[in-house]
Amino acid sequence: MQRSYSRLLGIVGKPNTGKSTFFSAATLSTADIANYPFTTIKPNRGVGYVRTPCVHEDFKVQDTPRNSLCLNGTRLVPVELIDIAGIVPGAWEGRGLGNQFLDEIRRADALIHVVDVSGGTDIEGKSCKLGEHDPLEDVRFLEREITLWMVNILKKDWPKISRTAEADKKGIATPLEEKLTGLGIKKVSVGEAIRRCGLNVDKPTLWSDEDFYQFVDTLRRISKPMLIIANKVDLPTSQINLERLKKLEYTVIAVCAEAELALRRAAEKQLIDYKPGDKDFKILAPEKMSAGQIKALESIREKIFSTTDSTGVQEALNTAYFKLLDMVTIYPVEDPEHLTNHDGQVLPDAYLVPNGITAHQFAYIIHTELGENFIYAVDARNKRRIGEDAVLKDRDVISIVSAKKRA
């Protein structure tokens, strides 16, 4: 299968919250899972899927997916995830190999913060009595660790950067972007953070330490948007904490990663009929399962599906990409009449791209030559030509016409 993903999602949090279980459930990749801190040392990488209605039903055709999957009218588009080892207080100073772990966040475009909503693990990630720890403190602590880590990166060069920016009279945004290139932070995010903080862009040497911290903290929120996963929602102490988490400024999703992992593994063995994100499942082969396995599956139905729409894992991936990163799905074809590529495959590819992308920009994503030789595009739904500045919409099917046409 060819790759279609271009945004990396980082799974973060303190140890022992279920991060690796969430990662395994989302990707079916093997990850070390154990009930003690620092099970994960090196980051795990895997491929999950976002779920969206496939366009083939709109056109009444049978598709032949190439870079994604289509299951009963649902297109599953691959995305890349990285499971980052647990972060503890003081990580920004190097505690618990913190700098090494935080460094993995550089590559992530957005973050999923897995929180033990039951309150059954303390701030260090060690097990404690259910409800004893406040999960809201976990959110505040991780915010602080990432912000201080970014402050540490910028602070040592800040006097030189700020003085040079004033002398050149070109503002501070460009030199900050150059300094933060390794973090994947763009100039537009720097400018937006300065605007939100109400800071003087032309006189950065006048920024106080408080101004500087506020700027970096705001920049973190903009450049590394975060989704809160309230994991272990099936435990008795979780519901009260879940309601408290929902009062934060973040999107919060209730999750039972263990249940999702059990369902996906059973589906992989064809013991049950279950697609990621479904609201229920069907047992297909009870004769191949023990009484204990069937009881465990029925317990998931009773504890999870009777109270919520899903285990939350698929909802988390969809929310991260479609809302947090504001992505849309576009289907490129060569022949807009038959919806095929040059090999005759019908609706073969689905691309996740930033909302607001133009036809010309999309051509570059498919292939550099298409972008360089772009003439116009064709909307396969109405067969109309659209220009290079036309903004594409979610689930558009587009054919790019270029001087050197390429599939």
Side-chain angles (χ1 to χ4, degrees):
M1 185 188 303
Q2 296 183 353
R3 290 189 176 189
S4 68
Y5 41 81
S6 60
R7 295 291 188 272
L8 179 64
L9 192 63
I11 303 172
V12 298
K14 70 183 184 184
N16 204 19
T17 60
K19 289 190 303 86
S20 293
T21 304
F22 179 92
F23 172 82
S24 295
T27 64
L28 276 185
S29 298
T30 301
D32 292 330
I33 300 171
N35 192 31
Y36 53 84
F38 302 115
T39 304
T40 301
I41 298 299
K42 294 183 179 179
N44 300 304
R45 280 180 174 269
V47 175
Y49 294 87
V50 295
R51 174 174 172 158
T52 182
C54 186
V55 297
H56 81 266
E57 295 195 342
D58 297 352
F59 291 91
K60 305 287 191 272
V61 297
Q62 180 61 53
D63 58 351
T64 47
R66 182 175 64 169
N67 79 337
S68 48
L69 304 172
C70 184
L71 300 176
N72 301 321
T74 297
R75 185 66 74 118
L76 300 175
V77 186
V79 292
E80 190 173 15
L81 285 71
I82 181 170
D83 175 24
I84 298 168
I87 298 171
V88 295
W92 70 277
E93 297 178 293
R95 182 168 179 262
L97 298 179
N99 282 328
Q100 176 184 329
F101 299 161
L102 284 166
D103 201 53
E104 298 296 337
I105 294 175
R106 290 175 181 269
R107 292 173 284 173
D109 297 284
L111 303 173
I112 283 185
H113 182 187
V114 180
V115 173
D116 178 359
V117 72
S118 74
T121 47
D122 67 17
I123 197 66
E124 301 280 350
K126 299 174 183 175
S127 295
C128 63
K129 183 179 178 181
L130 288 181
E132 190 171 81
H133 181 70
D134 184 358
L136 271 72
E137 177 56 28
D138 295 340
V139 177
R140 291 189 287 265
F141 125 76
L142 191 72
E143 289 177 331
R144 187 166 57 250
E145 291 296 326
I146 298 176
T147 295
L148 287 171
W149 168 67
M150 292 175 65
V151 165
N152 202 39
I153 290 173
L154 278 177
K155 195 69 174 177
K156 56 185 176 182
D157 293 329
W158 176 245
K160 179 181 178 181
I161 291 173
S162 58
R163 287 196 303 268
T164 301
E166 286 191 17
D168 292 344
K169 297 183 179 180
K170 294 181 180 179
I172 193 66
T174 297
L176 278 177
E177 181 191 28
E178 293 172 355
K179 177 64 178 176
L180 295 169
T181 298
L183 296 179
I185 297 176
K186 303 298 184 183
K187 183 178 178 179
V188 63
S189 297
V190 175
E192 177 62 16
I194 293 172
R195 186 193 66 79
R196 290 188 191 181
C197 294
L199 299 172
N200 188 335
V201 68
D202 297 316
K203 293 289 185 180
T205 57
L206 300 180
W207 295 7
S208 66
D209 288 343
E210 183 179 346
D211 290 336
F212 186 78
Y213 182 90
Q214 182 187 22
F215 159 72
V216 176
D217 191 56
T218 304
L219 183 61
R220 171 191 60 79
R221 294 173 182 271
I222 295 170
S223 61
K224 303 291 181 184
M226 189 181 296
L227 178 69
I228 303 297
I229 299 303
N231 194 32
K232 307 182 184 182
V233 73
D234 55 317
L235 297 180
T237 54
S238 296
Q239 288 303 314
I240 293 177
N241 286 332
L242 176 61
E243 295 308 313
R244 294 175 62 234
L245 280 172
K246 286 182 177 180
K247 294 178 181 179
L248 300 177
E249 67 271 28
Y250 294 101
T251 298
V252 178
I253 296 179
V255 167
C256 183
E258 279 192 352
E260 180 70 15
L261 182 57
L263 291 173
R264 292 202 188 192
R265 284 178 172 167
E268 187 180 38
K269 296 175 182 177
Q270 298 184 336
L271 299 175
I272 64 172
D273 179 13
Y274 175 74
K275 295 194 304 296
D278 280 354
K279 298 180 180 181
D280 201 356
F281 60 90
K282 179 181 179 182
I283 295 178
L284 299 176
E287 71 281 0
K288 295 181 180 179
M289 291 186 284
S290 67
Q293 288 174 315
I294 293 176
K295 183 178 180 180
L297 288 172
E298 292 297 346
S299 178
I300 291 173
R301 177 177 280 138
E302 178 184 347
K303 292 183 178 180
I304 304 299
F305 291 118
S306 65
T307 57
T308 61
D309 285 339
S310 71
T311 66
V313 172
Q314 188 61 50
E315 181 186 355
L317 295 186
N318 274 33
T319 301
Y321 280 90
F322 292 132
K323 294 184 179 180
L324 210 63
L325 289 171
D326 195 19
M327 309 286 279
V328 295
T329 311
I330 307 295
Y331 296 76
V333 297
E334 182 173 355
D335 182 347
E337 186 66 36
H338 299 95
L339 309 177
T340 57
N341 62 6
H342 67 281
D343 291 325
Q345 294 170 306
V346 179
L347 296 169
D349 300 326
Y351 281 77
L352 283 176
V353 296
N355 192 12
I357 195 171
T358 66
H360 196 186
Q361 290 169 333
F362 183 59
Y364 272 105
I365 288 177
I366 300 172
H367 198 281
T368 302
E369 282 190 12
L370 278 183
E372 292 174 346
N373 297 284
F374 181 93
I375 300 176
Y376 61 86
V378 177
D379 185 333
R381 292 185 185 274
N382 53 33
K383 307 303 186 291
R384 293 179 181 173
R385 292 188 180 187
I386 58 177
E388 63 179 2
D389 295 328
V391 175
L392 304 184
K393 304 182 299 299
D394 187 39
R395 304 177 74 247
D396 270 351
V397 181
I398 299 297
S399 176
I400 305 295
V401 177
S402 68
K404 295 180 179 180
K405 181 129 186 180
R406 185 183 180 96

